[in-house]
Every structure is written in C-alpha cells, then in structure tokens.
PDB file of all heavy atoms in Angstrom:
ATOM      1  N   PHE A   1     -14.643  -0.035  38.255  1.00 75.00           N
ATOM      2  CA  PHE A   1     -15.043  -0.579  36.963  1.00 75.00           C
ATOM      3  C   PHE A   1     -15.152  -2.092  37.044  1.00 75.00           C
ATOM      4  O   PHE A   1     -15.278  -2.781  36.037  1.00 75.00           O
ATOM      5  CB  PHE A   1     -14.016  -0.173  35.900  1.00 75.00           C
ATOM      6  CG  PHE A   1     -14.582  -0.090  34.523  1.00 75.00           C
ATOM      7  CD1 PHE A   1     -15.292   1.019  34.128  1.00 75.00           C
ATOM      8  CD2 PHE A   1     -14.406  -1.124  33.625  1.00 75.00           C
ATOM      9  CE1 PHE A   1     -15.808   1.095  32.854  1.00 75.00           C
ATOM     10  CE2 PHE A   1     -14.922  -1.055  32.354  1.00 75.00           C
ATOM     11  CZ  PHE A   1     -15.622   0.055  31.964  1.00 75.00           C
ATOM     12  N   ASN A   2     -15.082  -2.614  38.269  1.00 75.00           N
ATOM     13  CA  ASN A   2     -15.205  -4.047  38.540  1.00 75.00           C
ATOM     14  C   ASN A   2     -14.077  -4.866  37.928  1.00 75.00           C
ATOM     15  O   ASN A   2     -14.286  -5.994  37.471  1.00 75.00           O
ATOM     16  CB  ASN A   2     -16.564  -4.582  38.075  1.00 75.00           C
ATOM     17  CG  ASN A   2     -17.687  -4.138  38.972  1.00 75.00           C
ATOM     18  OD1 ASN A   2     -17.465  -3.776  40.117  1.00 75.00           O
ATOM     19  ND2 ASN A   2     -18.902  -4.133  38.456  1.00 75.00           N
ATOM     20  N   VAL A   3     -12.875  -4.290  37.930  1.00 82.00           N
ATOM     21  CA  VAL A   3     -11.681  -5.027  37.531  1.00 82.00           C
ATOM     22  C   VAL A   3     -10.707  -4.970  38.696  1.00 82.00           C
ATOM     23  O   VAL A   3     -10.398  -3.892  39.203  1.00 82.00           O
ATOM     24  CB  VAL A   3     -11.035  -4.438  36.267  1.00 82.00           C
ATOM     25  CG1 VAL A   3      -9.740  -5.180  35.935  1.00 82.00           C
ATOM     26  CG2 VAL A   3     -12.003  -4.521  35.093  1.00 82.00           C
ATOM     27  N   LEU A   4     -10.234  -6.128  39.125  1.00 78.00           N
ATOM     28  CA  LEU A   4      -9.295  -6.200  40.233  1.00 78.00           C
ATOM     29  C   LEU A   4      -7.888  -6.395  39.678  1.00 78.00           C
ATOM     30  O   LEU A   4      -7.595  -7.388  39.017  1.00 78.00           O
ATOM     31  CB  LEU A   4      -9.652  -7.377  41.149  1.00 78.00           C
ATOM     32  CG  LEU A   4      -8.698  -7.635  42.322  1.00 78.00           C
ATOM     33  CD1 LEU A   4      -8.676  -6.454  43.262  1.00 78.00           C
ATOM     34  CD2 LEU A   4      -9.091  -8.892  43.059  1.00 78.00           C
ATOM     35  N   ALA A   5      -7.020  -5.410  39.912  1.00 78.00           N
ATOM     36  CA  ALA A   5      -5.625  -5.516  39.480  1.00 78.00           C
ATOM     37  C   ALA A   5      -4.789  -5.991  40.655  1.00 78.00           C
ATOM     38  O   ALA A   5      -4.943  -5.510  41.774  1.00 78.00           O
ATOM     39  CB  ALA A   5      -5.119  -4.164  38.981  1.00 78.00           C
ATOM     40  N   LYS A   6      -3.893  -6.935  40.401  1.00 73.00           N
ATOM     41  CA  LYS A   6      -3.050  -7.458  41.466  1.00 73.00           C
ATOM     42  C   LYS A   6      -1.868  -6.548  41.762  1.00 73.00           C
ATOM     43  O   LYS A   6      -1.184  -6.732  42.761  1.00 73.00           O
ATOM     44  CB  LYS A   6      -2.569  -8.864  41.096  1.00 73.00           C
ATOM     45  CG  LYS A   6      -3.709  -9.867  40.945  1.00 73.00           C
ATOM     46  CD  LYS A   6      -3.192 -11.244  40.572  1.00 73.00           C
ATOM     47  CE  LYS A   6      -4.342 -12.216  40.369  1.00 73.00           C
ATOM     48  NZ  LYS A   6      -3.863 -13.549  39.963  1.00 73.00           N
ATOM     49  N   SER A   7      -1.616  -5.565  40.874  1.00 68.00           N
ATOM     50  CA  SER A   7      -0.516  -4.633  41.106  1.00 68.00           C
ATOM     51  C   SER A   7      -0.747  -3.373  40.299  1.00 68.00           C
ATOM     52  O   SER A   7      -1.431  -3.393  39.267  1.00 68.00           O
ATOM     53  CB  SER A   7       0.825  -5.259  40.703  1.00 68.00           C
ATOM     54  OG  SER A   7       0.901  -5.391  39.297  1.00 68.00           O
ATOM     55  N   GLY A   8      -0.165  -2.265  40.786  1.00 68.00           N
ATOM     56  CA  GLY A   8      -0.221  -1.021  40.033  1.00 68.00           C
ATOM     57  C   GLY A   8       0.559  -1.126  38.742  1.00 68.00           C
ATOM     58  O   GLY A   8       0.252  -0.435  37.761  1.00 68.00           O
ATOM     59  N   ARG A   9       1.563  -1.997  38.716  1.00 75.00           N
ATOM     60  CA  ARG A   9       2.355  -2.186  37.502  1.00 75.00           C
ATOM     61  C   ARG A   9       1.463  -2.624  36.337  1.00 75.00           C
ATOM     62  O   ARG A   9       1.647  -2.188  35.189  1.00 75.00           O
ATOM     63  CB  ARG A   9       3.440  -3.233  37.751  1.00 75.00           C
ATOM     64  CG  ARG A   9       4.382  -3.448  36.578  1.00 75.00           C
ATOM     65  CD  ARG A   9       5.272  -4.659  36.843  1.00 75.00           C
ATOM     66  NE  ARG A   9       6.158  -4.425  37.965  1.00 75.00           N
ATOM     67  CZ  ARG A   9       7.388  -3.953  37.848  1.00 75.00           C
ATOM     68  NH1 ARG A   9       7.859  -3.650  36.652  1.00 75.00           N
ATOM     69  NH2 ARG A   9       8.138  -3.785  38.917  1.00 75.00           N
ATOM     70  N   ALA A  10       0.483  -3.498  36.631  1.00 79.00           N
ATOM     71  CA  ALA A  10      -0.405  -3.976  35.576  1.00 79.00           C
ATOM     72  C   ALA A  10      -1.260  -2.849  35.014  1.00 79.00           C
ATOM     73  O   ALA A  10      -1.514  -2.792  33.806  1.00 79.00           O
ATOM     74  CB  ALA A  10      -1.299  -5.100  36.119  1.00 79.00           C
ATOM     75  N   VAL A  11      -1.725  -1.942  35.891  1.00 80.00           N
ATOM     76  CA  VAL A  11      -2.547  -0.819  35.436  1.00 80.00           C
ATOM     77  C   VAL A  11      -1.732   0.070  34.502  1.00 80.00           C
ATOM     78  O   VAL A  11      -2.208   0.506  33.447  1.00 80.00           O
ATOM     79  CB  VAL A  11      -3.076   0.001  36.629  1.00 80.00           C
ATOM     80  CG1 VAL A  11      -4.002   1.102  36.146  1.00 80.00           C
ATOM     81  CG2 VAL A  11      -3.803  -0.902  37.616  1.00 80.00           C
ATOM     82  N   GLU A  12      -0.489   0.366  34.893  1.00 79.00           N
ATOM     83  CA  GLU A  12       0.362   1.207  34.054  1.00 79.00           C
ATOM     84  C   GLU A  12       0.698   0.516  32.743  1.00 79.00           C
ATOM     85  O   GLU A  12       0.715   1.142  31.684  1.00 79.00           O
ATOM     86  CB  GLU A  12       1.647   1.568  34.796  1.00 79.00           C
ATOM     87  CG  GLU A  12       1.453   2.701  35.753  1.00 79.00           C
ATOM     88  CD  GLU A  12       2.778   3.314  36.170  1.00 79.00           C
ATOM     89  OE1 GLU A  12       3.834   2.818  35.734  1.00 79.00           O
ATOM     90  OE2 GLU A  12       2.747   4.294  36.910  1.00 79.00           O
ATOM     91  N   ALA A  13       0.975  -0.790  32.811  1.00 82.00           N
ATOM     92  CA  ALA A  13       1.309  -1.520  31.589  1.00 82.00           C
ATOM     93  C   ALA A  13       0.150  -1.462  30.602  1.00 82.00           C
ATOM     94  O   ALA A  13       0.361  -1.390  29.389  1.00 82.00           O
ATOM     95  CB  ALA A  13       1.656  -2.972  31.921  1.00 82.00           C
ATOM     96  N   ALA A  14      -1.087  -1.465  31.117  1.00 84.00           N
ATOM     97  CA  ALA A  14      -2.256  -1.377  30.241  1.00 84.00           C
ATOM     98  C   ALA A  14      -2.246  -0.087  29.438  1.00 84.00           C
ATOM     99  O   ALA A  14      -2.736  -0.042  28.311  1.00 84.00           O
ATOM    100  CB  ALA A  14      -3.539  -1.483  31.072  1.00 84.00           C
ATOM    101  N   GLY A  15      -1.676   0.962  30.006  1.00 83.00           N
ATOM    102  CA  GLY A  15      -1.618   2.238  29.301  1.00 83.00           C
ATOM    103  C   GLY A  15      -0.582   2.277  28.205  1.00 83.00           C
ATOM    104  O   GLY A  15      -0.600   3.179  27.363  1.00 83.00           O
ATOM    105  N   ASP A  16       0.336   1.309  28.190  1.00 84.00           N
ATOM    106  CA  ASP A  16       1.408   1.286  27.186  1.00 84.00           C
ATOM    107  C   ASP A  16       1.285   0.119  26.220  1.00 84.00           C
ATOM    108  O   ASP A  16       2.223  -0.197  25.484  1.00 84.00           O
ATOM    109  CB  ASP A  16       2.779   1.207  27.884  1.00 84.00           C
ATOM    110  CG  ASP A  16       3.172   2.527  28.518  1.00 84.00           C
ATOM    111  OD1 ASP A  16       2.789   3.571  27.968  1.00 84.00           O
ATOM    112  OD2 ASP A  16       3.855   2.512  29.555  1.00 84.00           O
ATOM    113  N   ILE A  17       0.121  -0.533  26.194  1.00 87.00           N
ATOM    114  CA  ILE A  17      -0.063  -1.730  25.380  1.00 87.00           C
ATOM    115  C   ILE A  17       0.085  -1.415  23.890  1.00 87.00           C
ATOM    116  O   ILE A  17      -0.424  -0.413  23.398  1.00 87.00           O
ATOM    117  CB  ILE A  17      -1.454  -2.347  25.673  1.00 87.00           C
ATOM    118  CG1 ILE A  17      -1.455  -3.034  27.029  1.00 87.00           C
ATOM    119  CG2 ILE A  17      -1.850  -3.333  24.600  1.00 87.00           C
ATOM    120  CD1 ILE A  17      -0.434  -4.132  27.161  1.00 87.00           C
ATOM    121  N   ASP A  18       0.799  -2.308  23.188  1.00 89.00           N
ATOM    122  CA  ASP A  18       0.975  -2.187  21.736  1.00 89.00           C
ATOM    123  C   ASP A  18       0.120  -3.191  20.968  1.00 89.00           C
ATOM    124  O   ASP A  18      -0.329  -2.906  19.860  1.00 89.00           O
ATOM    125  CB  ASP A  18       2.442  -2.428  21.365  1.00 89.00           C
ATOM    126  CG  ASP A  18       3.380  -1.454  22.034  1.00 89.00           C
ATOM    127  OD1 ASP A  18       3.263  -0.253  21.760  1.00 89.00           O
ATOM    128  OD2 ASP A  18       4.230  -1.891  22.835  1.00 89.00           O
ATOM    129  N   VAL A  19      -0.078  -4.381  21.564  1.00 92.00           N
ATOM    130  CA  VAL A  19      -0.808  -5.450  20.888  1.00 92.00           C
ATOM    131  C   VAL A  19      -1.871  -5.994  21.831  1.00 92.00           C
ATOM    132  O   VAL A  19      -1.591  -6.247  23.013  1.00 92.00           O
ATOM    133  CB  VAL A  19       0.138  -6.601  20.464  1.00 92.00           C
ATOM    134  CG1 VAL A  19      -0.644  -7.689  19.731  1.00 92.00           C
ATOM    135  CG2 VAL A  19       1.255  -6.081  19.581  1.00 92.00           C
ATOM    136  N   LEU A  20      -3.077  -6.167  21.310  1.00 89.00           N
ATOM    137  CA  LEU A  20      -4.191  -6.654  22.117  1.00 89.00           C
ATOM    138  C   LEU A  20      -4.711  -7.947  21.500  1.00 89.00           C
ATOM    139  O   LEU A  20      -5.148  -7.966  20.347  1.00 89.00           O
ATOM    140  CB  LEU A  20      -5.299  -5.594  22.148  1.00 89.00           C
ATOM    141  CG  LEU A  20      -6.512  -5.832  23.026  1.00 89.00           C
ATOM    142  CD1 LEU A  20      -6.105  -6.034  24.469  1.00 89.00           C
ATOM    143  CD2 LEU A  20      -7.479  -4.669  22.907  1.00 89.00           C
ATOM    144  N   LEU A  21      -4.624  -9.055  22.256  1.00 90.00           N
ATOM    145  CA  LEU A  21      -5.127 -10.345  21.796  1.00 90.00           C
ATOM    146  C   LEU A  21      -6.527 -10.564  22.358  1.00 90.00           C
ATOM    147  O   LEU A  21      -6.727 -10.476  23.570  1.00 90.00           O
ATOM    148  CB  LEU A  21      -4.211 -11.483  22.247  1.00 90.00           C
ATOM    149  CG  LEU A  21      -2.715 -11.365  21.909  1.00 90.00           C
ATOM    150  CD1 LEU A  21      -1.992 -12.634  22.327  1.00 90.00           C
ATOM    151  CD2 LEU A  21      -2.511 -11.096  20.441  1.00 90.00           C
ATOM    152  N   LEU A  22      -7.476 -10.863  21.478  1.00 83.00           N
ATOM    153  CA  LEU A  22      -8.864 -11.026  21.895  1.00 83.00           C
ATOM    154  C   LEU A  22      -9.409 -12.345  21.359  1.00 83.00           C
ATOM    155  O   LEU A  22      -9.281 -12.632  20.162  1.00 83.00           O
ATOM    156  CB  LEU A  22      -9.727  -9.874  21.375  1.00 83.00           C
ATOM    157  CG  LEU A  22      -9.386  -8.489  21.909  1.00 83.00           C
ATOM    158  CD1 LEU A  22      -9.412  -7.475  20.801  1.00 83.00           C
ATOM    159  CD2 LEU A  22     -10.337  -8.090  23.008  1.00 83.00           C
ATOM    160  N   ASP A  23     -10.010 -13.130  22.246  1.00 78.00           N
ATOM    161  CA  ASP A  23     -10.656 -14.356  21.817  1.00 78.00           C
ATOM    162  C   ASP A  23     -11.883 -14.007  20.987  1.00 78.00           C
ATOM    163  O   ASP A  23     -12.581 -13.035  21.276  1.00 78.00           O
ATOM    164  CB  ASP A  23     -11.058 -15.176  23.049  1.00 78.00           C
ATOM    165  CG  ASP A  23     -11.571 -16.542  22.656  1.00 78.00           C
ATOM    166  OD1 ASP A  23     -10.855 -17.254  21.939  1.00 78.00           O
ATOM    167  OD2 ASP A  23     -12.689 -16.886  23.059  1.00 78.00           O
ATOM    168  N   LYS A  24     -12.139 -14.810  19.941  1.00 79.00           N
ATOM    169  CA  LYS A  24     -13.275 -14.504  19.071  1.00 79.00           C
ATOM    170  C   LYS A  24     -14.601 -14.689  19.800  1.00 79.00           C
ATOM    171  O   LYS A  24     -15.411 -13.768  19.908  1.00 79.00           O
ATOM    172  CB  LYS A  24     -13.239 -15.406  17.837  1.00 79.00           C
ATOM    173  CG  LYS A  24     -14.372 -15.136  16.848  1.00 79.00           C
ATOM    174  CD  LYS A  24     -14.655 -16.330  15.960  1.00 79.00           C
ATOM    175  CE  LYS A  24     -15.376 -17.433  16.713  1.00 79.00           C
ATOM    176  NZ  LYS A  24     -15.789 -18.563  15.883  1.00 79.00           N
ATOM    177  N   THR A  25     -14.812 -15.885  20.331  1.00 71.00           N
ATOM    178  CA  THR A  25     -16.112 -16.230  20.895  1.00 71.00           C
ATOM    179  C   THR A  25     -16.353 -15.489  22.205  1.00 71.00           C
ATOM    180  O   THR A  25     -15.560 -15.586  23.144  1.00 71.00           O
ATOM    181  CB  THR A  25     -16.218 -17.744  21.134  1.00 71.00           C
ATOM    182  OG1 THR A  25     -15.938 -18.414  19.909  1.00 71.00           O
ATOM    183  CG2 THR A  25     -17.602 -18.123  21.621  1.00 71.00           C
ATOM    184  N   GLY A  26     -17.434 -14.753  22.258  1.00 66.00           N
ATOM    185  CA  GLY A  26     -17.796 -14.019  23.468  1.00 66.00           C
ATOM    186  C   GLY A  26     -17.147 -12.661  23.568  1.00 66.00           C
ATOM    187  O   GLY A  26     -17.528 -11.858  24.410  1.00 66.00           O
ATOM    188  N   THR A  27     -16.166 -12.383  22.721  1.00 71.00           N
ATOM    189  CA  THR A  27     -15.498 -11.082  22.748  1.00 71.00           C
ATOM    190  C   THR A  27     -15.827 -10.301  21.488  1.00 71.00           C
ATOM    191  O   THR A  27     -16.380  -9.206  21.538  1.00 71.00           O
ATOM    192  CB  THR A  27     -13.976 -11.253  22.863  1.00 71.00           C
ATOM    193  OG1 THR A  27     -13.682 -12.052  23.993  1.00 71.00           O
ATOM    194  CG2 THR A  27     -13.288  -9.914  22.999  1.00 71.00           C
ATOM    195  N   ILE A  28     -15.500 -10.896  20.348  1.00 79.00           N
ATOM    196  CA  ILE A  28     -15.788 -10.256  19.066  1.00 79.00           C
ATOM    197  C   ILE A  28     -17.167 -10.663  18.564  1.00 79.00           C
ATOM    198  O   ILE A  28     -17.903  -9.841  18.021  1.00 79.00           O
ATOM    199  CB  ILE A  28     -14.694 -10.622  18.050  1.00 79.00           C
ATOM    200  CG1 ILE A  28     -13.361 -10.005  18.500  1.00 79.00           C
ATOM    201  CG2 ILE A  28     -15.051 -10.151  16.647  1.00 79.00           C
ATOM    202  CD1 ILE A  28     -12.172 -10.431  17.677  1.00 79.00           C
ATOM    203  N   THR A  29     -17.521 -11.928  18.772  1.00 78.00           N
ATOM    204  CA  THR A  29     -18.866 -12.388  18.430  1.00 78.00           C
ATOM    205  C   THR A  29     -19.681 -12.522  19.711  1.00 78.00           C
ATOM    206  O   THR A  29     -19.135 -12.495  20.812  1.00 78.00           O
ATOM    207  CB  THR A  29     -18.809 -13.743  17.697  1.00 78.00           C
ATOM    208  OG1 THR A  29     -18.276 -14.736  18.589  1.00 78.00           O
ATOM    209  CG2 THR A  29     -17.926 -13.652  16.471  1.00 78.00           C
ATOM    210  N   ILE A  30     -20.989 -12.682  19.554  1.00 71.00           N
ATOM    211  CA  ILE A  30     -21.854 -12.725  20.744  1.00 71.00           C
ATOM    212  C   ILE A  30     -21.665 -14.016  21.526  1.00 71.00           C
ATOM    213  O   ILE A  30     -22.153 -14.137  22.637  1.00 71.00           O
ATOM    214  CB  ILE A  30     -23.347 -12.556  20.370  1.00 71.00           C
ATOM    215  CG1 ILE A  30     -23.806 -13.688  19.452  1.00 71.00           C
ATOM    216  CG2 ILE A  30     -23.590 -11.207  19.739  1.00 71.00           C
ATOM    217  CD1 ILE A  30     -25.303 -13.678  19.183  1.00 71.00           C
ATOM    218  N   GLY A  31     -20.964 -14.993  20.945  1.00 63.00           N
ATOM    219  CA  GLY A  31     -20.635 -16.203  21.692  1.00 63.00           C
ATOM    220  C   GLY A  31     -21.453 -17.407  21.303  1.00 63.00           C
ATOM    221  O   GLY A  31     -20.983 -18.537  21.389  1.00 63.00           O
TER     222      GLY A  31
END
C-alpha cells in the first residue's frame, strides 16, 4: 500500500487507535 512501517508494533497500534489527528490542508481540504 506504499506505506513503510519501521516496526510491526506500529502496524498493530494502528489497529487499536482511539483518536486520529488530521491536518486540515491537504487532508480534509484539497489543499
């Protein structure tokens, strides 16, 4: 999926995420 994880721990942590912080520009808006 063209994402490089530095550890398997990060992949697993992604599955247990409770809060997601997203920058507005380029993420929520077209930028």
Side-chain angles (χ1 to χ4, degrees):
F1 207 80
N2 287 339
V3 176
L4 176 63
K6 298 180 182 178
S7 70
R9 184 189 295 267
V11 184
E12 279 197 358
D16 286 328
I17 286 301
D18 301 297
V19 181
L20 185 58
L21 307 185
L22 296 137
D23 187 54
K24 181 203 74 175
T25 305
T27 305
I28 294 173
T29 64
I30 61 173

